[in-house]
Amino acid sequence: QKEVEQNSGPLSVPEGAIASLNCTYSDRGSQSFFWYRQYSGKSPELIMFIYSNGDKEDGRFTAQLNKASQYVSLLIRDSQPSDSATYLCAVGETSGSRLTFGEGTQLTVNP
Amino acid sequence: SQTIHQWPATLVQPVGSPLSLECTVEGTSNPNLYWYRQAAGRGLQLLFYSVGIGQISSEVPQNLSASRPQDRQFILSSKKLLLSDSGFYLCAWSVGINYGYTFGSGTRLTVV
């Protein structure tokens, strides 16, 4: 059973702080990694993807991947109240057409 | 550009009634299609996925079935709903696992 584990929440940070969301995965052969944001009552939307070890930056978001440690993280700099949502980590399976999702981490950014 | 349509947005159905949820994708060919369910405050549970017309893989034995009668149409059905079928149902599409999924807007089903 392929697993994706996310750090348990909820996570609360003050406005302007850095929010750090973490994820580990069990399928050592996975090559594609995604972060989705899900606002309450809405469907998940893709905000970041990463394939190679290292950092990938997009605006205030940075995804980090370490395949040797089977670890993916998402950093949100200068957190805003509008970033308050549940963040889902997803990992592409080695062979096949499915993503495995973590349970999500709920983030609250306090004004 | 590609779009995914999912309807209805909300549905209240009595126990024992049938269910049909429809999902269609525009702007792409031969997408992979997925049905997920999300219970309140929980993660995503993959129900079915399809890599082509008539090809359905079931992930969890349950009271539901899926069909793909056309390339870009994916239907989730039940003959008799149970209370435990309540949840947020999400359809998603993908052109390949390296591109991730795009989700539809979801259907919130309440079985009463």
PDB file of all heavy atoms in Angstrom, chain A residues 21-39:
ATOM      1  N   LEU A  21       4.845  23.231   5.421  1.00  0.00           N
ATOM      2  CA  LEU A  21       4.000  22.037   5.331  1.00  0.00           C
ATOM      3  C   LEU A  21       4.861  20.884   4.836  1.00  0.00           C
ATOM      4  O   LEU A  21       5.599  21.032   3.857  1.00  0.00           O
ATOM      5  CB  LEU A  21       2.842  22.290   4.375  1.00  0.00           C
ATOM      6  CG  LEU A  21       1.978  23.507   4.720  1.00  0.00           C
ATOM      7  CD1 LEU A  21       1.148  23.947   3.539  1.00  0.00           C
ATOM      8  CD2 LEU A  21       1.094  23.196   5.906  1.00  0.00           C
ATOM      9  N   ASN A  22       4.750  19.744   5.492  1.00  0.00           N
ATOM     10  CA  ASN A  22       5.646  18.636   5.199  1.00  0.00           C
ATOM     11  C   ASN A  22       4.896  17.377   4.781  1.00  0.00           C
ATOM     12  O   ASN A  22       3.747  17.159   5.189  1.00  0.00           O
ATOM     13  CB  ASN A  22       6.490  18.318   6.431  1.00  0.00           C
ATOM     14  CG  ASN A  22       7.253  19.535   6.913  1.00  0.00           C
ATOM     15  OD1 ASN A  22       7.861  20.234   6.116  1.00  0.00           O
ATOM     16  ND2 ASN A  22       7.212  19.803   8.201  1.00  0.00           N
ATOM     17  N   CYS A  23       5.591  16.541   4.032  1.00  0.00           N
ATOM     18  CA  CYS A  23       4.974  15.345   3.469  1.00  0.00           C
ATOM     19  C   CYS A  23       6.060  14.290   3.256  1.00  0.00           C
ATOM     20  O   CYS A  23       7.134  14.603   2.755  1.00  0.00           O
ATOM     21  CB  CYS A  23       4.317  15.735   2.140  1.00  0.00           C
ATOM     22  SG  CYS A  23       3.634  14.409   1.163  1.00  0.00           S
ATOM     23  N   THR A  24       5.788  13.063   3.640  1.00  0.00           N
ATOM     24  CA  THR A  24       6.688  11.952   3.324  1.00  0.00           C
ATOM     25  C   THR A  24       5.905  10.914   2.537  1.00  0.00           C
ATOM     26  O   THR A  24       4.678  10.817   2.649  1.00  0.00           O
ATOM     27  CB  THR A  24       7.265  11.307   4.593  1.00  0.00           C
ATOM     28  OG1 THR A  24       6.189  10.837   5.419  1.00  0.00           O
ATOM     29  CG2 THR A  24       8.107  12.286   5.377  1.00  0.00           C
ATOM     30  N   TYR A  25       6.622  10.145   1.717  1.00  0.00           N
ATOM     31  CA  TYR A  25       5.959   9.160   0.874  1.00  0.00           C
ATOM     32  C   TYR A  25       6.722   7.853   0.902  1.00  0.00           C
ATOM     33  O   TYR A  25       7.919   7.830   1.186  1.00  0.00           O
ATOM     34  CB  TYR A  25       5.818   9.687  -0.553  1.00  0.00           C
ATOM     35  CG  TYR A  25       7.124  10.017  -1.235  1.00  0.00           C
ATOM     36  CD1 TYR A  25       7.760   9.100  -2.063  1.00  0.00           C
ATOM     37  CD2 TYR A  25       7.726  11.264  -1.066  1.00  0.00           C
ATOM     38  CE1 TYR A  25       8.959   9.403  -2.679  1.00  0.00           C
ATOM     39  CE2 TYR A  25       8.926  11.578  -1.678  1.00  0.00           C
ATOM     40  CZ  TYR A  25       9.535  10.652  -2.486  1.00  0.00           C
ATOM     41  OH  TYR A  25      10.733  10.949  -3.098  1.00  0.00           O
ATOM     42  N   SER A  26       6.014   6.769   0.595  1.00  0.00           N
ATOM     43  CA  SER A  26       6.633   5.453   0.734  1.00  0.00           C
ATOM     44  C   SER A  26       7.133   4.864  -0.583  1.00  0.00           C
ATOM     45  O   SER A  26       8.020   3.999  -0.578  1.00  0.00           O
ATOM     46  CB  SER A  26       5.631   4.483   1.378  1.00  0.00           C
ATOM     47  OG  SER A  26       4.507   4.304   0.537  1.00  0.00           O
ATOM     48  N   ASP A  27       6.581   5.329  -1.717  1.00  0.00           N
ATOM     49  CA  ASP A  27       6.953   4.752  -3.012  1.00  0.00           C
ATOM     50  C   ASP A  27       8.261   5.367  -3.496  1.00  0.00           C
ATOM     51  O   ASP A  27       8.273   6.474  -4.042  1.00  0.00           O
ATOM     52  CB  ASP A  27       5.825   4.999  -4.026  1.00  0.00           C
ATOM     53  CG  ASP A  27       6.064   4.310  -5.359  1.00  0.00           C
ATOM     54  OD1 ASP A  27       7.173   3.752  -5.574  1.00  0.00           O
ATOM     55  OD2 ASP A  27       5.155   4.322  -6.197  1.00  0.00           O
ATOM     56  N   ARG A  28       9.348   4.656  -3.321  1.00  0.00           N
ATOM     57  CA  ARG A  28      10.665   5.188  -3.633  1.00  0.00           C
ATOM     58  C   ARG A  28      10.838   5.521  -5.115  1.00  0.00           C
ATOM     59  O   ARG A  28      11.662   6.326  -5.487  1.00  0.00           O
ATOM     60  CB  ARG A  28      11.733   4.184  -3.187  1.00  0.00           C
ATOM     61  CG  ARG A  28      13.158   4.653  -3.353  1.00  0.00           C
ATOM     62  CD  ARG A  28      14.133   3.737  -2.628  1.00  0.00           C
ATOM     63  NE  ARG A  28      14.034   3.868  -1.188  1.00  0.00           N
ATOM     64  CZ  ARG A  28      14.637   4.817  -0.478  1.00  0.00           C
ATOM     65  NH1 ARG A  28      15.375   5.728  -1.087  1.00  0.00           N
ATOM     66  NH2 ARG A  28      14.519   4.865   0.827  1.00  0.00           N
ATOM     67  N   GLY A  29      10.033   4.899  -5.965  1.00  0.00           N
ATOM     68  CA  GLY A  29      10.156   5.138  -7.400  1.00  0.00           C
ATOM     69  C   GLY A  29       9.348   6.323  -7.913  1.00  0.00           C
ATOM     70  O   GLY A  29       9.413   6.642  -9.099  1.00  0.00           O
ATOM     71  N   SER A  30       8.625   6.994  -7.060  1.00  0.00           N
ATOM     72  CA  SER A  30       7.786   8.115  -7.493  1.00  0.00           C
ATOM     73  C   SER A  30       8.628   9.209  -8.113  1.00  0.00           C
ATOM     74  O   SER A  30       9.735   9.505  -7.652  1.00  0.00           O
ATOM     75  CB  SER A  30       6.995   8.672  -6.311  1.00  0.00           C
ATOM     76  OG  SER A  30       6.070   7.728  -5.840  1.00  0.00           O
ATOM     77  N   GLN A  31       8.077   9.823  -9.170  1.00  0.00           N
ATOM     78  CA  GLN A  31       8.816  10.838  -9.918  1.00  0.00           C
ATOM     79  C   GLN A  31       8.110  12.190  -9.975  1.00  0.00           C
ATOM     80  O   GLN A  31       8.686  13.170 -10.430  1.00  0.00           O
ATOM     81  CB  GLN A  31       9.056  10.348 -11.353  1.00  0.00           C
ATOM     82  CG  GLN A  31       9.893   9.084 -11.442  1.00  0.00           C
ATOM     83  CD  GLN A  31      11.311   9.289 -10.943  1.00  0.00           C
ATOM     84  OE1 GLN A  31      11.919  10.328 -11.173  1.00  0.00           O
ATOM     85  NE2 GLN A  31      11.839   8.302 -10.230  1.00  0.00           N
ATOM     86  N   SER A  32       6.851  12.232  -9.565  1.00  0.00           N
ATOM     87  CA  SER A  32       6.108  13.487  -9.670  1.00  0.00           C
ATOM     88  C   SER A  32       5.392  13.770  -8.352  1.00  0.00           C
ATOM     89  O   SER A  32       4.830  12.864  -7.738  1.00  0.00           O
ATOM     90  CB  SER A  32       5.108  13.418 -10.831  1.00  0.00           C
ATOM     91  OG  SER A  32       4.266  12.295 -10.712  1.00  0.00           O
ATOM     92  N   PHE A  33       5.437  15.058  -7.959  1.00  0.00           N
ATOM     93  CA  PHE A  33       4.956  15.442  -6.638  1.00  0.00           C
ATOM     94  C   PHE A  33       4.189  16.758  -6.758  1.00  0.00           C
ATOM     95  O   PHE A  33       4.615  17.667  -7.480  1.00  0.00           O
ATOM     96  CB  PHE A  33       6.145  15.606  -5.676  1.00  0.00           C
ATOM     97  CG  PHE A  33       7.026  14.390  -5.661  1.00  0.00           C
ATOM     98  CD1 PHE A  33       8.061  14.262  -6.582  1.00  0.00           C
ATOM     99  CD2 PHE A  33       6.800  13.368  -4.768  1.00  0.00           C
ATOM    100  CE1 PHE A  33       8.857  13.127  -6.608  1.00  0.00           C
ATOM    101  CE2 PHE A  33       7.590  12.224  -4.776  1.00  0.00           C
ATOM    102  CZ  PHE A  33       8.611  12.103  -5.703  1.00  0.00           C
ATOM    103  N   PHE A  34       3.079  16.824  -6.044  1.00  0.00           N
ATOM    104  CA  PHE A  34       2.162  17.940  -6.236  1.00  0.00           C
ATOM    105  C   PHE A  34       1.666  18.457  -4.888  1.00  0.00           C
ATOM    106  O   PHE A  34       1.522  17.695  -3.928  1.00  0.00           O
ATOM    107  CB  PHE A  34       0.950  17.482  -7.069  1.00  0.00           C
ATOM    108  CG  PHE A  34       1.329  16.836  -8.370  1.00  0.00           C
ATOM    109  CD1 PHE A  34       1.606  15.478  -8.432  1.00  0.00           C
ATOM    110  CD2 PHE A  34       1.430  17.584  -9.530  1.00  0.00           C
ATOM    111  CE1 PHE A  34       1.969  14.866  -9.619  1.00  0.00           C
ATOM    112  CE2 PHE A  34       1.793  16.992 -10.724  1.00  0.00           C
ATOM    113  CZ  PHE A  34       2.065  15.636 -10.766  1.00  0.00           C
ATOM    114  N   TRP A  35       1.370  19.741  -4.880  1.00  0.00           N
ATOM    115  CA  TRP A  35       0.666  20.347  -3.748  1.00  0.00           C
ATOM    116  C   TRP A  35      -0.633  20.962  -4.250  1.00  0.00           C
ATOM    117  O   TRP A  35      -0.647  21.721  -5.228  1.00  0.00           O
ATOM    118  CB  TRP A  35       1.518  21.425  -3.080  1.00  0.00           C
ATOM    119  CG  TRP A  35       2.601  20.862  -2.219  1.00  0.00           C
ATOM    120  CD1 TRP A  35       3.923  20.706  -2.549  1.00  0.00           C
ATOM    121  CD2 TRP A  35       2.460  20.376  -0.884  1.00  0.00           C
ATOM    122  NE1 TRP A  35       4.601  20.148  -1.506  1.00  0.00           N
ATOM    123  CE2 TRP A  35       3.738  19.936  -0.463  1.00  0.00           C
ATOM    124  CE3 TRP A  35       1.397  20.264   0.012  1.00  0.00           C
ATOM    125  CZ2 TRP A  35       3.962  19.390   0.801  1.00  0.00           C
ATOM    126  CZ3 TRP A  35       1.623  19.730   1.259  1.00  0.00           C
ATOM    127  CH2 TRP A  35       2.899  19.306   1.657  1.00  0.00           C
ATOM    128  N   TYR A  36      -1.720  20.601  -3.573  1.00  0.00           N
ATOM    129  CA  TYR A  36      -3.030  21.140  -3.875  1.00  0.00           C
ATOM    130  C   TYR A  36      -3.508  21.968  -2.686  1.00  0.00           C
ATOM    131  O   TYR A  36      -3.246  21.639  -1.529  1.00  0.00           O
ATOM    132  CB  TYR A  36      -4.042  20.014  -4.129  1.00  0.00           C
ATOM    133  CG  TYR A  36      -3.897  19.341  -5.472  1.00  0.00           C
ATOM    134  CD1 TYR A  36      -2.932  18.355  -5.680  1.00  0.00           C
ATOM    135  CD2 TYR A  36      -4.724  19.678  -6.536  1.00  0.00           C
ATOM    136  CE1 TYR A  36      -2.798  17.737  -6.907  1.00  0.00           C
ATOM    137  CE2 TYR A  36      -4.604  19.065  -7.771  1.00  0.00           C
ATOM    138  CZ  TYR A  36      -3.640  18.093  -7.948  1.00  0.00           C
ATOM    139  OH  TYR A  36      -3.517  17.484  -9.165  1.00  0.00           O
ATOM    140  N   ARG A  37      -4.256  23.000  -2.989  1.00  0.00           N
ATOM    141  CA  ARG A  37      -4.887  23.826  -1.961  1.00  0.00           C
ATOM    142  C   ARG A  37      -6.389  23.619  -2.066  1.00  0.00           C
ATOM    143  O   ARG A  37      -6.954  23.668  -3.158  1.00  0.00           O
ATOM    144  CB  ARG A  37      -4.537  25.304  -2.174  1.00  0.00           C
ATOM    145  CG  ARG A  37      -5.179  26.276  -1.191  1.00  0.00           C
ATOM    146  CD  ARG A  37      -4.692  27.690  -1.461  1.00  0.00           C
ATOM    147  NE  ARG A  37      -5.086  28.146  -2.788  1.00  0.00           N
ATOM    148  CZ  ARG A  37      -4.496  29.154  -3.428  1.00  0.00           C
ATOM    149  NH1 ARG A  37      -3.482  29.803  -2.857  1.00  0.00           N
ATOM    150  NH2 ARG A  37      -4.910  29.505  -4.621  1.00  0.00           N
ATOM    151  N   GLN A  38      -7.037  23.413  -0.925  1.00  0.00           N
ATOM    152  CA  GLN A  38      -8.476  23.197  -0.914  1.00  0.00           C
ATOM    153  C   GLN A  38      -9.104  24.125   0.124  1.00  0.00           C
ATOM    154  O   GLN A  38      -8.920  23.954   1.332  1.00  0.00           O
ATOM    155  CB  GLN A  38      -8.831  21.743  -0.603  1.00  0.00           C
ATOM    156  CG  GLN A  38     -10.322  21.453  -0.700  1.00  0.00           C
ATOM    157  CD  GLN A  38     -10.662  19.993  -0.488  1.00  0.00           C
ATOM    158  OE1 GLN A  38      -9.927  19.247   0.142  1.00  0.00           O
ATOM    159  NE2 GLN A  38     -11.807  19.578  -1.016  1.00  0.00           N
ATOM    160  N   TYR A  39      -9.849  25.103  -0.368  1.00  0.00           N
ATOM    161  CA  TYR A  39     -10.608  25.961   0.525  1.00  0.00           C
ATOM    162  C   TYR A  39     -11.844  25.193   1.003  1.00  0.00           C
ATOM    163  O   TYR A  39     -12.344  24.299   0.307  1.00  0.00           O
ATOM    164  CB  TYR A  39     -11.034  27.246  -0.186  1.00  0.00           C
ATOM    165  CG  TYR A  39      -9.893  28.186  -0.491  1.00  0.00           C
ATOM    166  CD1 TYR A  39      -9.539  28.490  -1.800  1.00  0.00           C
ATOM    167  CD2 TYR A  39      -9.170  28.784   0.532  1.00  0.00           C
ATOM    168  CE1 TYR A  39      -8.492  29.358  -2.092  1.00  0.00           C
ATOM    169  CE2 TYR A  39      -8.116  29.646   0.253  1.00  0.00           C
ATOM    170  CZ  TYR A  39      -7.794  29.921  -1.054  1.00  0.00           C
ATOM    171  OH  TYR A  39      -6.754  30.781  -1.327  1.00  0.00           O
TER     172      TYR A  39
END
